[in-house]
Amino acid sequence: MNRAAAFAAASGLVLVREGKALALSDDGKKAVAAIRKEKLLEDEALFLEEIGKFTTEQVVEQIMKMEAF
């Protein structure tokens, strides 16, 4: 997850806020729109939608620190 976040930030797709929060940049929003328009990564989006229901801030922090949860 850390590598994906670093890659997205280096590519200009996300902005890093306060050293820990990520937000889509304008380019990131355009990329998401293009992906959705072409119906790419639909299975991945469904998976993330499902696990998102169970993902808390604490779980994300543990993942980012590579801790067991």
Short mmCIF file of all heavy atoms in Angstrom, two decimals:
data_model
loop_
_atom_site.label_atom_id
_atom_site.label_comp_id
_atom_site.label_asym_id
_atom_site.label_seq_id
_atom_site.Cartn_x
_atom_site.Cartn_y
_atom_site.Cartn_z
N MET A 1 0.82 -1.18 0.00
CA MET A 1 0.00 0.00 0.00
C MET A 1 0.88 1.26 0.00
O MET A 1 0.56 2.22 -0.68
CB MET A 1 -0.92 -0.03 1.21
CG MET A 1 -1.93 1.05 1.21
SD MET A 1 -3.19 0.65 2.42
CE MET A 1 -4.34 1.92 2.07
N ASN A 2 1.96 1.20 0.77
CA ASN A 2 2.86 2.35 0.80
C ASN A 2 3.45 2.65 -0.58
O ASN A 2 3.56 3.81 -0.97
CB ASN A 2 3.99 2.12 1.81
CG ASN A 2 3.52 2.21 3.23
OD1 ASN A 2 2.48 2.79 3.53
ND2 ASN A 2 4.28 1.63 4.13
N ARG A 3 3.82 1.59 -1.27
CA ARG A 3 4.40 1.78 -2.61
C ARG A 3 3.38 2.36 -3.57
O ARG A 3 3.70 3.23 -4.38
CB ARG A 3 4.92 0.47 -3.16
CG ARG A 3 6.22 0.04 -2.55
CD ARG A 3 6.76 -1.17 -3.25
NE ARG A 3 7.91 -1.65 -2.52
CZ ARG A 3 8.62 -2.67 -2.92
NH1 ARG A 3 8.32 -3.31 -4.01
NH2 ARG A 3 9.66 -3.05 -2.21
N ALA A 4 2.16 1.89 -3.49
CA ALA A 4 1.11 2.42 -4.37
C ALA A 4 0.87 3.89 -4.08
O ALA A 4 0.72 4.70 -5.01
CB ALA A 4 -0.18 1.62 -4.20
N ALA A 5 0.84 4.25 -2.80
CA ALA A 5 0.63 5.65 -2.42
C ALA A 5 1.80 6.51 -2.90
O ALA A 5 1.59 7.61 -3.43
CB ALA A 5 0.46 5.76 -0.91
N ALA A 6 3.02 6.01 -2.73
CA ALA A 6 4.20 6.76 -3.17
C ALA A 6 4.21 6.93 -4.68
O ALA A 6 4.52 8.01 -5.19
CB ALA A 6 5.47 6.06 -2.71
N PHE A 7 3.85 5.88 -5.40
CA PHE A 7 3.79 5.95 -6.86
C PHE A 7 2.73 6.95 -7.31
O PHE A 7 2.96 7.77 -8.20
CB PHE A 7 3.50 4.57 -7.44
CG PHE A 7 3.38 4.55 -8.94
CD1 PHE A 7 4.51 4.63 -9.73
CD2 PHE A 7 2.15 4.47 -9.55
CE1 PHE A 7 4.41 4.62 -11.12
CE2 PHE A 7 2.04 4.46 -10.93
CZ PHE A 7 3.17 4.54 -11.72
N ALA A 8 1.56 6.89 -6.68
CA ALA A 8 0.48 7.82 -7.04
C ALA A 8 0.88 9.26 -6.76
O ALA A 8 0.60 10.16 -7.56
CB ALA A 8 -0.80 7.45 -6.29
N ALA A 9 1.56 9.49 -5.65
CA ALA A 9 2.00 10.85 -5.31
C ALA A 9 3.06 11.32 -6.30
O ALA A 9 3.00 12.45 -6.79
CB ALA A 9 2.54 10.88 -3.88
N ALA A 10 4.03 10.45 -6.61
CA ALA A 10 5.10 10.81 -7.55
C ALA A 10 4.54 11.06 -8.95
O ALA A 10 5.08 11.88 -9.70
CB ALA A 10 6.16 9.72 -7.59
N SER A 11 3.44 10.40 -9.28
CA SER A 11 2.82 10.57 -10.59
C SER A 11 1.88 11.77 -10.63
O SER A 11 1.33 12.08 -11.69
CB SER A 11 2.03 9.31 -10.95
OG SER A 11 2.87 8.20 -11.03
N GLY A 12 1.68 12.39 -9.49
CA GLY A 12 0.80 13.55 -9.45
C GLY A 12 -0.68 13.21 -9.38
O GLY A 12 -1.53 14.08 -9.60
N LEU A 13 -0.99 11.95 -9.08
CA LEU A 13 -2.40 11.54 -9.03
C LEU A 13 -3.04 11.82 -7.68
O LEU A 13 -4.26 11.93 -7.59
CB LEU A 13 -2.52 10.06 -9.37
CG LEU A 13 -2.04 9.67 -10.77
CD1 LEU A 13 -2.08 8.16 -10.94
CD2 LEU A 13 -2.87 10.37 -11.83
N VAL A 14 -2.22 11.90 -6.64
CA VAL A 14 -2.73 12.21 -5.30
C VAL A 14 -1.87 13.29 -4.68
O VAL A 14 -0.71 13.49 -5.05
CB VAL A 14 -2.77 10.98 -4.36
CG1 VAL A 14 -3.70 9.91 -4.88
CG2 VAL A 14 -1.39 10.44 -4.12
N LEU A 15 -2.46 13.97 -3.71
CA LEU A 15 -1.75 14.95 -2.90
C LEU A 15 -1.62 14.38 -1.50
O LEU A 15 -2.56 13.75 -1.01
CB LEU A 15 -2.55 16.26 -2.85
CG LEU A 15 -2.93 16.88 -4.20
CD1 LEU A 15 -3.90 18.03 -4.00
CD2 LEU A 15 -1.68 17.34 -4.93
N VAL A 16 -0.48 14.58 -0.89
CA VAL A 16 -0.25 14.10 0.48
C VAL A 16 -0.52 15.28 1.41
O VAL A 16 0.08 16.34 1.27
CB VAL A 16 1.18 13.57 0.66
CG1 VAL A 16 1.38 13.07 2.08
CG2 VAL A 16 1.48 12.49 -0.36
N ARG A 17 -1.42 15.06 2.36
CA ARG A 17 -1.78 16.12 3.29
C ARG A 17 -1.30 15.76 4.69
O ARG A 17 -1.56 14.67 5.17
CB ARG A 17 -3.29 16.32 3.30
CG ARG A 17 -3.79 16.80 1.96
CD ARG A 17 -5.19 17.31 2.07
NE ARG A 17 -5.60 17.83 0.76
CZ ARG A 17 -6.82 17.77 0.30
NH1 ARG A 17 -7.77 17.22 1.02
NH2 ARG A 17 -7.10 18.26 -0.88
N GLU A 18 -0.61 16.69 5.31
CA GLU A 18 -0.10 16.53 6.67
C GLU A 18 0.74 15.27 6.83
O GLU A 18 0.77 14.65 7.89
CB GLU A 18 -1.24 16.56 7.67
CG GLU A 18 -2.01 17.88 7.67
CD GLU A 18 -3.16 17.90 8.65
OE1 GLU A 18 -3.17 17.11 9.60
OE2 GLU A 18 -4.06 18.73 8.44
N GLY A 19 1.37 14.84 5.75
CA GLY A 19 2.25 13.70 5.80
C GLY A 19 1.59 12.35 5.93
O GLY A 19 2.26 11.33 5.97
N LYS A 20 0.24 12.30 5.99
CA LYS A 20 -0.40 11.01 6.19
C LYS A 20 -1.70 10.82 5.41
O LYS A 20 -2.09 9.70 5.16
CB LYS A 20 -0.66 10.75 7.66
CG LYS A 20 -1.59 11.75 8.31
CD LYS A 20 -1.79 11.43 9.77
CE LYS A 20 -2.75 12.43 10.41
NZ LYS A 20 -3.01 12.12 11.80
N ALA A 21 -2.36 11.86 5.04
CA ALA A 21 -3.63 11.73 4.32
C ALA A 21 -3.40 11.91 2.83
O ALA A 21 -2.57 12.71 2.41
CB ALA A 21 -4.64 12.76 4.83
N LEU A 22 -4.13 11.15 2.04
CA LEU A 22 -4.05 11.27 0.58
C LEU A 22 -5.38 11.79 0.05
O LEU A 22 -6.44 11.42 0.54
CB LEU A 22 -3.77 9.90 -0.05
CG LEU A 22 -2.47 9.21 0.34
CD1 LEU A 22 -2.40 7.84 -0.30
CD2 LEU A 22 -1.26 10.04 -0.06
N ALA A 23 -5.29 12.62 -0.96
CA ALA A 23 -6.49 13.12 -1.64
C ALA A 23 -6.19 13.13 -3.13
O ALA A 23 -5.06 13.41 -3.55
CB ALA A 23 -6.83 14.53 -1.17
N LEU A 24 -7.19 12.82 -3.93
CA LEU A 24 -7.00 12.86 -5.38
C LEU A 24 -6.70 14.28 -5.84
O LEU A 24 -7.35 15.23 -5.42
CB LEU A 24 -8.25 12.36 -6.10
CG LEU A 24 -8.50 10.87 -6.13
CD1 LEU A 24 -9.86 10.57 -6.76
CD2 LEU A 24 -7.40 10.14 -6.88
N SER A 25 -5.72 14.39 -6.72
CA SER A 25 -5.44 15.67 -7.36
C SER A 25 -6.41 15.81 -8.54
O SER A 25 -7.16 14.89 -8.85
CB SER A 25 -3.99 15.69 -7.87
OG SER A 25 -3.84 14.73 -8.91
N ASP A 26 -6.35 16.94 -9.22
CA ASP A 26 -7.18 17.11 -10.41
C ASP A 26 -6.83 16.06 -11.46
O ASP A 26 -7.72 15.49 -12.10
CB ASP A 26 -7.01 18.52 -11.00
CG ASP A 26 -7.66 19.59 -10.13
OD1 ASP A 26 -8.56 19.26 -9.31
OD2 ASP A 26 -7.28 20.78 -10.27
N ASP A 27 -5.53 15.78 -11.62
CA ASP A 27 -5.12 14.73 -12.57
C ASP A 27 -5.62 13.36 -12.12
O ASP A 27 -6.00 12.53 -12.94
CB ASP A 27 -3.60 14.70 -12.73
CG ASP A 27 -3.08 15.84 -13.58
OD1 ASP A 27 -3.88 16.50 -14.28
OD2 ASP A 27 -1.85 16.08 -13.54
N GLY A 28 -5.61 13.13 -10.81
CA GLY A 28 -6.12 11.87 -10.28
C GLY A 28 -7.61 11.71 -10.56
O GLY A 28 -8.06 10.62 -10.92
N LYS A 29 -8.35 12.78 -10.40
CA LYS A 29 -9.79 12.74 -10.69
C LYS A 29 -10.04 12.47 -12.17
O LYS A 29 -10.96 11.72 -12.52
CB LYS A 29 -10.45 14.05 -10.26
CG LYS A 29 -10.48 14.22 -8.75
CD LYS A 29 -11.02 15.58 -8.35
CE LYS A 29 -10.93 15.76 -6.85
NZ LYS A 29 -11.36 17.10 -6.42
N LYS A 30 -9.22 13.05 -13.03
CA LYS A 30 -9.35 12.80 -14.48
C LYS A 30 -9.04 11.34 -14.79
O LYS A 30 -9.72 10.71 -15.62
CB LYS A 30 -8.41 13.71 -15.26
CG LYS A 30 -8.84 15.16 -15.26
CD LYS A 30 -7.81 16.03 -15.98
CE LYS A 30 -8.11 17.49 -15.78
NZ LYS A 30 -7.04 18.35 -16.35
N ALA A 31 -8.02 10.79 -14.13
CA ALA A 31 -7.66 9.39 -14.35
C ALA A 31 -8.79 8.47 -13.91
O ALA A 31 -9.14 7.51 -14.62
CB ALA A 31 -6.37 9.04 -13.60
N VAL A 32 -9.39 8.75 -12.76
CA VAL A 32 -10.52 7.95 -12.28
C VAL A 32 -11.68 8.02 -13.27
O VAL A 32 -12.29 6.99 -13.60
CB VAL A 32 -10.97 8.41 -10.87
CG1 VAL A 32 -12.29 7.76 -10.49
CG2 VAL A 32 -9.91 8.10 -9.84
N ALA A 33 -11.98 9.21 -13.77
CA ALA A 33 -13.07 9.37 -14.73
C ALA A 33 -12.80 8.56 -16.00
O ALA A 33 -13.71 7.90 -16.53
CB ALA A 33 -13.27 10.85 -15.07
N ALA A 34 -11.56 8.59 -16.48
CA ALA A 34 -11.20 7.83 -17.70
C ALA A 34 -11.31 6.33 -17.45
O ALA A 34 -11.82 5.59 -18.30
CB ALA A 34 -9.79 8.19 -18.15
N ILE A 35 -10.87 5.88 -16.29
CA ILE A 35 -10.94 4.45 -15.94
C ILE A 35 -12.40 4.00 -15.88
O ILE A 35 -12.77 2.95 -16.42
CB ILE A 35 -10.21 4.17 -14.61
CG1 ILE A 35 -8.70 4.30 -14.83
CG2 ILE A 35 -10.57 2.81 -14.05
CD1 ILE A 35 -7.89 4.36 -13.55
N ARG A 36 -13.23 4.81 -15.26
CA ARG A 36 -14.66 4.46 -15.16
C ARG A 36 -15.34 4.49 -16.52
O ARG A 36 -16.16 3.63 -16.82
CB ARG A 36 -15.35 5.40 -14.18
CG ARG A 36 -14.99 5.11 -12.76
CD ARG A 36 -15.74 5.98 -11.80
NE ARG A 36 -15.45 5.59 -10.42
CZ ARG A 36 -15.65 6.35 -9.38
NH1 ARG A 36 -16.16 7.55 -9.52
NH2 ARG A 36 -15.34 5.91 -8.17
N LYS A 37 -15.00 5.49 -17.33
CA LYS A 37 -15.60 5.61 -18.66
C LYS A 37 -15.31 4.38 -19.52
O LYS A 37 -16.17 3.88 -20.23
CB LYS A 37 -15.08 6.87 -19.36
CG LYS A 37 -15.66 7.08 -20.73
CD LYS A 37 -15.12 8.33 -21.39
CE LYS A 37 -15.67 8.46 -22.79
NZ LYS A 37 -15.08 9.61 -23.50
N GLU A 38 -14.09 3.89 -19.42
CA GLU A 38 -13.68 2.72 -20.20
C GLU A 38 -14.04 1.40 -19.53
O GLU A 38 -13.72 0.33 -20.04
CB GLU A 38 -12.17 2.78 -20.47
CG GLU A 38 -11.74 3.96 -21.32
CD GLU A 38 -12.36 3.94 -22.71
OE1 GLU A 38 -12.48 2.85 -23.31
OE2 GLU A 38 -12.70 5.03 -23.21
N LYS A 39 -14.66 1.50 -18.35
CA LYS A 39 -15.09 0.32 -17.59
C LYS A 39 -13.90 -0.60 -17.26
O LYS A 39 -14.00 -1.82 -17.35
CB LYS A 39 -16.20 -0.43 -18.31
CG LYS A 39 -17.46 0.40 -18.50
CD LYS A 39 -18.57 -0.41 -19.12
CE LYS A 39 -19.73 0.47 -19.50
NZ LYS A 39 -20.68 0.72 -18.48
N LEU A 40 -12.80 0.04 -16.87
CA LEU A 40 -11.61 -0.71 -16.47
C LEU A 40 -11.62 -0.91 -14.96
O LEU A 40 -12.23 -0.15 -14.23
CB LEU A 40 -10.34 0.07 -16.86
CG LEU A 40 -10.20 0.40 -18.35
CD1 LEU A 40 -9.00 1.29 -18.57
CD2 LEU A 40 -10.08 -0.88 -19.16
N LEU A 41 -10.96 -1.95 -14.50
CA LEU A 41 -10.79 -2.23 -13.08
C LEU A 41 -12.11 -2.37 -12.31
O LEU A 41 -12.18 -2.08 -11.12
CB LEU A 41 -9.92 -1.15 -12.43
CG LEU A 41 -8.53 -0.93 -13.06
CD1 LEU A 41 -7.85 0.28 -12.45
CD2 LEU A 41 -7.67 -2.17 -12.90
N GLU A 42 -13.14 -2.83 -12.97
CA GLU A 42 -14.45 -2.96 -12.32
C GLU A 42 -14.42 -3.99 -11.19
O GLU A 42 -15.01 -3.75 -10.14
CB GLU A 42 -15.53 -3.30 -13.33
CG GLU A 42 -15.88 -2.12 -14.23
CD GLU A 42 -17.00 -2.43 -15.20
OE1 GLU A 42 -17.08 -3.58 -15.69
OE2 GLU A 42 -17.79 -1.51 -15.46
N ASP A 43 -13.76 -5.11 -11.40
CA ASP A 43 -13.67 -6.12 -10.34
C ASP A 43 -12.94 -5.58 -9.12
O ASP A 43 -13.35 -5.80 -7.98
CB ASP A 43 -12.97 -7.39 -10.84
CG ASP A 43 -13.81 -8.16 -11.86
OD1 ASP A 43 -15.04 -7.97 -11.88
OD2 ASP A 43 -13.21 -8.95 -12.61
N GLU A 44 -11.87 -4.85 -9.37
CA GLU A 44 -11.10 -4.26 -8.27
C GLU A 44 -11.94 -3.23 -7.52
O GLU A 44 -11.89 -3.17 -6.28
CB GLU A 44 -9.81 -3.62 -8.81
CG GLU A 44 -8.81 -4.60 -9.35
CD GLU A 44 -9.07 -5.08 -10.78
OE1 GLU A 44 -10.10 -4.73 -11.38
OE2 GLU A 44 -8.22 -5.81 -11.30
N ALA A 45 -12.70 -2.44 -8.24
CA ALA A 45 -13.56 -1.43 -7.60
C ALA A 45 -14.62 -2.09 -6.73
O ALA A 45 -14.89 -1.62 -5.61
CB ALA A 45 -14.20 -0.53 -8.66
N LEU A 46 -15.20 -3.17 -7.21
CA LEU A 46 -16.20 -3.89 -6.41
C LEU A 46 -15.58 -4.47 -5.15
O LEU A 46 -16.17 -4.41 -4.06
CB LEU A 46 -16.84 -5.01 -7.24
CG LEU A 46 -17.81 -4.55 -8.33
CD1 LEU A 46 -18.22 -5.74 -9.19
CD2 LEU A 46 -19.04 -3.90 -7.71
N PHE A 47 -14.38 -5.03 -5.29
CA PHE A 47 -13.68 -5.57 -4.14
C PHE A 47 -13.41 -4.48 -3.10
O PHE A 47 -13.69 -4.66 -1.91
CB PHE A 47 -12.36 -6.22 -4.58
CG PHE A 47 -11.47 -6.61 -3.45
CD1 PHE A 47 -11.74 -7.74 -2.70
CD2 PHE A 47 -10.35 -5.85 -3.12
CE1 PHE A 47 -10.92 -8.12 -1.64
CE2 PHE A 47 -9.52 -6.21 -2.07
CZ PHE A 47 -9.82 -7.35 -1.33
N LEU A 48 -12.90 -3.36 -3.54
CA LEU A 48 -12.61 -2.26 -2.61
C LEU A 48 -13.87 -1.70 -1.97
O LEU A 48 -13.86 -1.32 -0.80
CB LEU A 48 -11.83 -1.16 -3.33
CG LEU A 48 -10.41 -1.53 -3.75
CD1 LEU A 48 -9.80 -0.44 -4.60
CD2 LEU A 48 -9.55 -1.82 -2.54
N GLU A 49 -14.95 -1.68 -2.73
CA GLU A 49 -16.23 -1.22 -2.17
C GLU A 49 -16.68 -2.14 -1.04
O GLU A 49 -17.16 -1.68 0.00
CB GLU A 49 -17.29 -1.18 -3.27
CG GLU A 49 -18.60 -0.58 -2.85
CD GLU A 49 -19.58 -0.49 -4.00
OE1 GLU A 49 -19.17 -0.10 -5.11
OE2 GLU A 49 -20.75 -0.81 -3.78
N GLU A 50 -16.50 -3.44 -1.23
CA GLU A 50 -16.90 -4.41 -0.22
C GLU A 50 -16.02 -4.33 1.03
O GLU A 50 -16.52 -4.30 2.14
CB GLU A 50 -16.88 -5.84 -0.77
CG GLU A 50 -18.05 -6.14 -1.68
CD GLU A 50 -19.39 -6.01 -0.97
OE1 GLU A 50 -19.55 -6.53 0.14
OE2 GLU A 50 -20.28 -5.35 -1.53
N ILE A 51 -14.70 -4.31 0.85
CA ILE A 51 -13.84 -4.28 2.04
C ILE A 51 -13.85 -2.92 2.71
O ILE A 51 -13.56 -2.81 3.89
CB ILE A 51 -12.40 -4.73 1.74
CG1 ILE A 51 -11.69 -3.75 0.82
CG2 ILE A 51 -12.34 -6.13 1.22
CD1 ILE A 51 -10.19 -3.93 0.82
N GLY A 52 -14.20 -1.89 1.96
CA GLY A 52 -14.29 -0.55 2.54
C GLY A 52 -15.28 -0.47 3.67
O GLY A 52 -15.13 0.33 4.60
N LYS A 53 -16.29 -1.33 3.65
CA LYS A 53 -17.30 -1.34 4.71
C LYS A 53 -16.68 -1.77 6.04
O LYS A 53 -17.21 -1.44 7.10
CB LYS A 53 -18.43 -2.30 4.35
CG LYS A 53 -19.18 -1.91 3.10
CD LYS A 53 -20.17 -3.00 2.69
CE LYS A 53 -20.80 -2.69 1.36
NZ LYS A 53 -21.65 -3.78 0.87
N PHE A 54 -15.60 -2.51 5.99
CA PHE A 54 -14.97 -3.05 7.20
C PHE A 54 -13.65 -2.37 7.55
O PHE A 54 -13.03 -2.71 8.54
CB PHE A 54 -14.71 -4.55 7.01
CG PHE A 54 -15.93 -5.31 6.58
CD1 PHE A 54 -16.06 -5.73 5.27
CD2 PHE A 54 -16.96 -5.57 7.48
CE1 PHE A 54 -17.20 -6.43 4.86
CE2 PHE A 54 -18.09 -6.24 7.08
CZ PHE A 54 -18.21 -6.68 5.77
N THR A 55 -13.24 -1.44 6.73
CA THR A 55 -11.94 -0.80 6.92
C THR A 55 -12.09 0.47 7.75
O THR A 55 -12.78 1.39 7.36
CB THR A 55 -11.31 -0.47 5.56
OG1 THR A 55 -11.27 -1.66 4.77
CG2 THR A 55 -9.90 0.06 5.71
N THR A 56 -11.41 0.46 8.89
CA THR A 56 -11.44 1.62 9.76
C THR A 56 -10.14 2.40 9.61
O THR A 56 -9.17 1.92 9.00
CB THR A 56 -11.56 1.18 11.24
OG1 THR A 56 -10.38 0.44 11.59
CG2 THR A 56 -12.81 0.33 11.47
N GLU A 57 -10.11 3.59 10.15
CA GLU A 57 -8.90 4.41 10.13
C GLU A 57 -7.74 3.66 10.81
O GLU A 57 -6.61 3.69 10.35
CB GLU A 57 -9.15 5.74 10.84
CG GLU A 57 -8.00 6.70 10.74
CD GLU A 57 -7.81 7.29 9.35
OE1 GLU A 57 -8.78 7.35 8.58
OE2 GLU A 57 -6.67 7.68 9.05
N GLN A 58 -8.05 2.95 11.89
CA GLN A 58 -7.04 2.20 12.62
C GLN A 58 -6.44 1.10 11.74
O GLN A 58 -5.23 0.90 11.73
CB GLN A 58 -7.63 1.59 13.89
CG GLN A 58 -6.61 0.83 14.71
CD GLN A 58 -7.23 0.20 15.96
OE1 GLN A 58 -8.43 0.25 16.15
NE2 GLN A 58 -6.41 -0.37 16.80
N VAL A 59 -7.27 0.39 11.00
CA VAL A 59 -6.78 -0.66 10.11
C VAL A 59 -5.87 -0.07 9.04
O VAL A 59 -4.79 -0.60 8.76
CB VAL A 59 -7.95 -1.45 9.47
CG1 VAL A 59 -7.46 -2.37 8.38
CG2 VAL A 59 -8.71 -2.23 10.53
N VAL A 60 -6.26 1.04 8.46
CA VAL A 60 -5.45 1.68 7.43
C VAL A 60 -4.11 2.12 8.02
O VAL A 60 -3.06 1.92 7.41
CB VAL A 60 -6.19 2.87 6.79
CG1 VAL A 60 -5.27 3.64 5.86
CG2 VAL A 60 -7.42 2.39 6.05
N GLU A 61 -4.13 2.69 9.22
CA GLU A 61 -2.87 3.10 9.86
C GLU A 61 -1.96 1.90 10.09
O GLU A 61 -0.75 1.98 9.87
CB GLU A 61 -3.16 3.81 11.18
CG GLU A 61 -3.68 5.22 10.98
CD GLU A 61 -3.95 5.94 12.30
OE1 GLU A 61 -3.48 5.47 13.36
OE2 GLU A 61 -4.63 6.97 12.24
N GLN A 62 -2.53 0.77 10.51
CA GLN A 62 -1.73 -0.42 10.73
C GLN A 62 -1.15 -0.94 9.41
O GLN A 62 0.01 -1.39 9.37
CB GLN A 62 -2.55 -1.50 11.41
CG GLN A 62 -2.85 -1.17 12.86
CD GLN A 62 -3.81 -2.16 13.49
OE1 GLN A 62 -4.78 -2.57 12.86
NE2 GLN A 62 -3.55 -2.53 14.72
N ILE A 63 -1.94 -0.90 8.36
CA ILE A 63 -1.44 -1.33 7.05
C ILE A 63 -0.29 -0.43 6.61
O ILE A 63 0.74 -0.91 6.13
CB ILE A 63 -2.58 -1.34 6.01
CG1 ILE A 63 -3.57 -2.44 6.32
CG2 ILE A 63 -2.00 -1.49 4.59
CD1 ILE A 63 -4.85 -2.38 5.50
N MET A 64 -0.47 0.86 6.77
CA MET A 64 0.57 1.81 6.35
C MET A 64 1.86 1.62 7.14
O MET A 64 2.95 1.83 6.62
CB MET A 64 0.07 3.25 6.49
CG MET A 64 -1.10 3.59 5.57
SD MET A 64 -0.69 3.46 3.82
CE MET A 64 0.21 4.98 3.60
N LYS A 65 1.75 1.19 8.38
CA LYS A 65 2.93 0.95 9.22
C LYS A 65 3.41 -0.50 9.09
O LYS A 65 4.38 -0.89 9.74
CB LYS A 65 2.60 1.23 10.68
CG LYS A 65 2.33 2.68 10.97
CD LYS A 65 1.93 2.86 12.42
CE LYS A 65 1.52 4.28 12.71
NZ LYS A 65 1.02 4.42 14.09
N MET A 66 2.69 -1.29 8.30
CA MET A 66 2.99 -2.70 8.08
C MET A 66 2.92 -3.48 9.38
O MET A 66 3.73 -4.35 9.66
CB MET A 66 4.33 -2.88 7.38
CG MET A 66 4.35 -2.25 6.00
SD MET A 66 5.86 -2.54 5.09
CE MET A 66 5.65 -4.26 4.66
N GLU A 67 1.91 -3.20 10.20
CA GLU A 67 1.68 -3.90 11.45
C GLU A 67 0.61 -4.97 11.26
O GLU A 67 -0.26 -4.83 10.41
CB GLU A 67 1.18 -2.93 12.53
CG GLU A 67 2.18 -1.87 12.91
CD GLU A 67 1.61 -0.86 13.90
OE1 GLU A 67 0.40 -0.93 14.20
OE2 GLU A 67 2.38 -0.02 14.36
N ALA A 68 0.68 -6.00 12.08
CA ALA A 68 -0.37 -7.03 12.06
C ALA A 68 -1.62 -6.45 12.70
O ALA A 68 -1.55 -5.66 13.63
CB ALA A 68 0.09 -8.26 12.82
N PHE A 69 -2.79 -6.85 12.20
CA PHE A 69 -4.05 -6.39 12.81
C PHE A 69 -4.98 -7.54 13.03
O PHE A 69 -4.79 -8.63 12.68
CB PHE A 69 -4.74 -5.29 12.00
CG PHE A 69 -4.99 -5.61 10.57
CD1 PHE A 69 -6.19 -6.17 10.16
CD2 PHE A 69 -4.03 -5.38 9.60
CE1 PHE A 69 -6.42 -6.46 8.83
CE2 PHE A 69 -4.25 -5.65 8.27
CZ PHE A 69 -5.45 -6.20 7.89
#
